[in-house]
Structure formats: structure tokens, C-alpha cells
């Protein structure tokens, strides 16, 4: 995926940034346990999509980082999982 294509996809994902061939976002939560629940729900999405983000769980924050190792950069799958993560965050009321 070219940088221009990635930027086009990224424009639909509020708060996501592109860093060194990956995209990432940090999600805030009202409690540590809400962050853990969200991370677990992202794990389920990752298994369904067979595309797994790096997940960093912090105190009241979860950072997701997505890239496609097989292409050493970004693919459409990264943006699909990012969009599904956004939807899960909004629908679940984790914030």
C-alpha cells in the first residue's frame, strides 16, 4: 500500500496516526478494567479477522498498533481491524 492510499484510509479513522509503516491509536477509559475488557474484545475481533494488532494496556488507556508483517507495512486488513475497533469502542460505552 502506498503512503497516499494509507492516508486516504486514515482520513476516515479519527485519532489514528501513521508511524513508521503502522497505524496506531490510544483509547482512554474511565477505569483500568474497562480497558482490559476492551482489549479482550479487540482480541476477539483479531481472531475473527485473522489479523492481530499489538495491544498495550496501560492505566485507563489501551494503545492499538496495526501493521501487516508479511508485507512489512500497511495493508487494507489493518484499516479493517482499526475500523472495527473504533466501532467496538463506540458501541460498548467503554469510555
Amino acid at each position: 500500500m502506498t503512503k497516499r492510499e494509507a492516508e486516504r484510509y486514515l482520513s476516515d479513522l479519527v485519532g489514528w496516526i501513521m508511524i513508521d509503516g503502522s497505524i496506531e491509536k490510544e483509547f482512554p477509559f474511565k477505569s483500568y478494567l474497562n480497558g482490559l475488557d476492551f482489549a479482550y474484545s479487540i482480541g476477539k475481533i483479531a481472531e475473527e479477522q485473522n489479523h492481530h494488532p499489538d495491544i498495550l494496556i496501560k492505566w485507563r488507556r489501551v494503545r492499538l498498533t496495526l501493521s501487516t508483517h508479511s508485507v512489512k507495512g500497511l495493508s487494507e486488513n489493518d484499516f479493517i481491524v482499526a475500523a472495527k475497533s473504533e466501532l467496538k469502542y463506540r458501541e460498548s460505552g467503554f469510555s
Side-chain angles (χ1 to χ4, degrees):
M1 175 175 291
T2 67
K3 184 177 179 182
R4 183 179 220 155
E5 289 170 320
E7 287 171 345
R8 199 169 349 125
Y9 281 113
L10 201 59
S11 68
D12 293 330
L13 296 169
V14 176
W16 287 81
I17 58 173
M18 195 170 3
I19 300 176
D20 298 327
S22 65
I23 57 172
E24 71 177 43
K25 181 175 180 176
E26 192 164 280
F27 294 85
F29 296 90
K30 293 178 182 174
S31 75
Y32 182 76
L33 291 178
N34 284 352
L36 284 175
D37 288 342
F38 176 71
Y40 182 75
S41 70
I42 298 307
K44 287 182 176 181
I45 290 169
E47 283 295 299
E48 290 168 2
Q49 295 297 309
N50 195 29
H51 196 72
H52 303 86
D54 292 335
I55 302 174
L56 178 60
I57 301 168
K58 300 178 176 185
W59 183 73
R60 296 174 52 184
R61 295 174 285 156
V62 172
R63 181 183 304 150
L64 300 181
T65 304
L66 287 150
S67 66
T68 302
H69 302 290
S70 62
V71 299
K72 297 182 174 128
L74 292 168
S75 73
E76 194 173 89
N77 290 340
D78 298 307
F79 295 93
I80 291 169
V81 172
K84 287 180 179 269
S85 300
E86 281 292 325
L87 186 60
K88 178 58 75 176
Y89 183 75
R90 280 187 250 130
E91 285 178 346
S92 301
F94 283 123
S95 59

